[in-house]
Amino acid sequence: MAEAITDELYATAATAKGGREGTVKSADGVIDLPLGKPGSTSNPKANPETLFAAGYASCFSGALAAVAGKEGLDVSESTVTANVHFGKTDSGFGLAVDISADIPGVDAAKAQELVEAAHQLCPYSKATRGNIEVNVSVA
């Protein structure tokens, strides 16, 4: 059963037109982009996978800061990379994600503990859990 939001803190919207070769615009106008098919090197454009990777990496970075902050650790110099993979599945198409966090000044065991805790807290991780393959690691 899905976990319900009991106290909404923020809501937003985005509208796409024309699919993978169209446009996408957020309700607040912050995002207003032409879209293109993945893999174009001559005229690269954003696509659903790049937007998902950006959102997931940002959200996970926030979750990492939250769990580290509870332990009194400063991870403000950390980086999180979300590698999103798009491909064929037995039932059509799907995604997989590899999340990697580089946490300077934190030993490997503690960094792995923080990454695992962030994966439990991150809303993107919660949304994808059990739906797609997500691997988390320390860089």
Side-chain angles (χ1 to χ4, degrees), residues 6-56:
T6 58
D7 183 15
E8 184 174 287
L9 302 175
Y10 177 73
T12 190
T15 302
K17 181 178 179 184
R20 289 182 169 274
E21 295 185 69
T23 60
V24 66
K25 184 174 182 177
S26 62
D28 59 10
V30 171
I31 296 173
D32 190 357
L33 299 170
L35 300 173
K37 288 187 177 178
S40 173
T41 55
S42 62
N43 188 19
K45 293 185 176 115
N47 59 60
E49 291 73 31
T50 56
L51 295 170
F52 186 70
Y56 203 160

